[in-house]
Amino acid sequence: MLPMAPGAGRSTCSLPNMGAPEPAPAESPDENEKRMTSKTETYDLFVIGGGINGAAIACDAAGRGLKVALAEMSDFAEGTSSRSSKLIHGGLRYLETYDFKLVRDALIEREILMRKAPHLVWPLRLVLPHVASQRPRWLIRLGLFIYDHLAQRKVLKRSESIDFRKHPSGAALKPQYRHGFAYSDCRGDDSRLVIANLLGAQRHGARILARHRFLSAERVDERWRVALRRVKSGTVAEIAAKALVNAAGPWVIDVARNIEGMKVSRRLRMVRGSHIVVPRQWQGEHGYFLQTRDGRLMEAFPYESDFTLIGTTDEPWDEAPEKVAISDEEIDYLLAEANEFLRKPVR
Ligand SMILES: Cc1cc2nc3c(=O)[nH]c(=O)nc-3n(C[C@H](O)[C@H](O)[C@H](O)COP(=O)(O)OP(=O)(O)OC[C@H]3O[C@@H](n4cnc5c(N)ncnc54)[C@H](O)[C@@H]3O)c2cc1C
């Protein structure tokens, strides 16, 4: 739980539209860092990690009136938050594992994000071809009915059954696919969403540092004394804070090990999820939600103006997060599964 500032209720942190003119920064990055690490400042909250979780927590907490600081060891959104599938979704696939609450919460957040950041979150119509040997039609229809009704849908269209012989989305598919379904989700710009949250936090007075690696935190006089390494110069800066948030994504255990008093008994189960980006494969803004031959679900949808993004895989990963890279087998798998459906093969 985040500590609440006296009298603070809902967070007022809004996400700035980066198209709009920004007020000139009051301080240079060096001045910002000097103020942040000044011996007299104590922060209510110190956030480790500038991915979407760290950035959104900083924005929310600063919007509640807390004095917030955040440090990112690399560039903002350098970790998982710029390498996602770019979907702002409830997660239709999680209905199969009966995670109804998770899906409902995510659908509610989807509506909030559409309102808060319409410049970064867009509706996406996803088309799911029916594969006779896989999930039965009634099951998909039931899943989509639940997905449509789990949360209030104000803007997005409800799901529908479609006949590919008449529907324009059938043109890109092999002729053996005759029936399918279309439903609504959203896609977004994941890394810009991180930046928007950081700017929102900064507007509410948060201090934000890139290229400052968290080294350790120890308890001194009922405060956390946090040591950070300035990546550029190699020197060490110190910050005092009343509370810490470890938002280090796949590095969360490494960070936790360096927080005094933290007992880290758990291992993190990491997975590698890879995408491929290929030249644009079909006309239209819709995407496809494809059932793979091994029973998984993967997406393919327009990316930027000229590309199609296809993914993901789901492989266990035990090495350091920064070493992760797609393998040749994953590329072959993604191409083969997409080509099961697409009339014009992707190469
Ligand atoms: C393949 C894949 C596809 C996905 N697709 C989607 C999707 O379509 N939609 C969706 O909603 N979610 C998706 N997700 C999930 C989503 O991307 C993650 O939940 C989210 O990005 C995690 O954000 P984070 O801030 O926790 O971690 P990260 O983005 O990894 O951020 C952690 C940050 O902490 C920093 N850090 C680490 N150690 C230190 C340190 N010592 N000092 C300072 N900073 C440090 C790192 O540099 C990093 O920037 C996907 C995930 C994967 C793997």
Side-chain angles (χ1 to χ4, degrees):
M1 281 284 285
L2 292 180
M4 301 278 281
R10 287 172 70 85
S11 175
T12 56
C13 192
S14 58
L15 302 186
N17 182 339
M18 274 91 82
E22 276 290 312
E27 296 170 322
S28 71
D30 286 350
E31 285 166 333
N32 178 40
E33 204 241 24
K34 221 154 98 192
R35 277 275 297 275
M36 189 163 162
T37 55
S38 120
K39 291 271 181 290
T40 52
E41 298 256 20
T42 297
Y43 290 89
D44 293 317
L45 193 69
F46 179 72
V47 181
I48 305 156
I52 191 61
N53 281 316
I57 289 166
C59 187
D60 187 274
R64 290 171 198 272
L66 295 182
K67 199 167 159 191
V68 176
L70 177 147
E72 161 57 48
M73 68 176 172
S74 186
D75 201 352
F76 302 120
E78 177 75 23
T80 328
S81 299
S82 57
R83 297 153 203 260
S84 80
S85 301
K86 330 282 177 204
L87 291 173
I88 308 293
H89 59 159
L92 182 62
R93 56 165 65 83
Y94 303 123
L95 290 180
E96 287 196 319
T97 44
Y98 309 112
D99 285 319
F100 295 112
K101 182 168 180 328
L102 173 82
V103 176
R104 183 168 185 275
D105 289 350
L107 288 171
I108 292 170
E109 291 297 323
R110 183 183 73 181
E111 287 285 324
I112 294 172
L113 271 176
M114 283 176 74
R115 272 201 314 276
K116 270 185 107 172
H119 55 303
L120 298 178
V121 176
W122 318 277
L124 172 67
R125 199 75 177 152
L126 280 162
V127 172
L128 198 164
H130 177 245
V131 182
S133 59
Q134 295 228 11
R135 295 157 184 88
R137 246 196 258 191
W138 66 264
L139 184 66
I140 299 178
R141 209 175 285 138
L142 177 66
L144 290 174
F145 177 83
I146 295 172
Y147 203 65
D148 277 344
H149 291 90
L150 262 183
Q152 249 189 344
R153 214 175 1 90
K154 294 212 177 106
V155 182
L156 299 176
K157 271 169 52 182
R158 51 172 294 184
S159 62
E160 61 184 329
S161 295
I162 50 180
D163 179 342
F164 290 132
R165 287 164 297 188
K166 297 183 189 141
H167 197 271
S169 64
L173 296 174
K174 288 181 175 169
Q176 70 251 37
Y177 297 102
R178 295 187 169 188
H179 299 284
F181 303 87
Y183 73 99
S184 294
D185 248 321
C186 288
R187 65 194 168 113
D189 189 324
D190 51 4
S191 38
R192 283 182 70 201
L193 210 47
V194 173
I195 302 298
N197 274 283
L198 291 170
L199 285 172
Q202 201 175 35
R203 281 189 178 175
H204 283 85
R207 302 258 157 201
I208 311 286
L209 288 177
R211 305 197 190 285
H212 280 64
R213 177 189 281 269
F214 167 87
L215 293 178
S216 63
E218 52 181 10
R219 291 298 278 174
V220 178
D221 298 334
E222 297 186 358
R223 301 268 186 279
W224 288 105
R225 192 165 69 200
V226 179
L228 302 174
R229 180 169 320 278
R230 298 179 183 97
V231 173
K232 226 161 121 188
S233 65
T235 54
V236 174
E238 279 191 358
I239 281 184
K242 293 180 195 162
L244 297 180
V245 170
N246 179 356
W251 294 268
V252 70
I253 299 285
D254 300 341
V255 165
R257 285 206 178 101
N258 292 304
I259 298 175
E260 187 188 345
M262 283 288 284
K263 289 203 172 54
V264 186
S265 51
R266 289 197 187 172
R267 279 197 69 220
L268 200 63
R269 193 183 74 82
M270 290 196 288
V271 293
R272 174 178 64 183
S274 302
H275 307 87
I276 51 173
V277 176
V278 296
R280 183 101 176 216
Q281 295 295 310
W282 59 84
Q283 301 295 318
E285 289 305 311
H286 62 279
Y288 293 96
F289 198 39
L290 305 173
Q291 303 181 73
T292 59
R293 284 169 293 175
D294 53 358
R296 298 179 56 249
L297 290 158
M298 68 177 214
E299 292 97 17
F301 54 83
Y303 180 57
E304 303 293 342
S305 338
D306 301 330
F307 303 98
T308 298
L309 186 138
I310 301 172
T312 69
T313 55
D314 189 356
E315 300 279 329
W317 182 255
D318 289 328
E319 293 183 47
E322 53 272 23
K323 285 194 184 158
V324 75
I326 193 168
S327 67
D328 289 345
E329 291 75 28
E330 285 176 289
I331 296 173
D332 291 345
Y333 170 85
L334 292 171
L335 287 173
E337 294 306 324
N339 286 336
E340 276 293 302
F341 292 90
L342 295 177
R343 196 181 284 250
K344 193 172 130 246
V346 195
R347 301 197 190 283

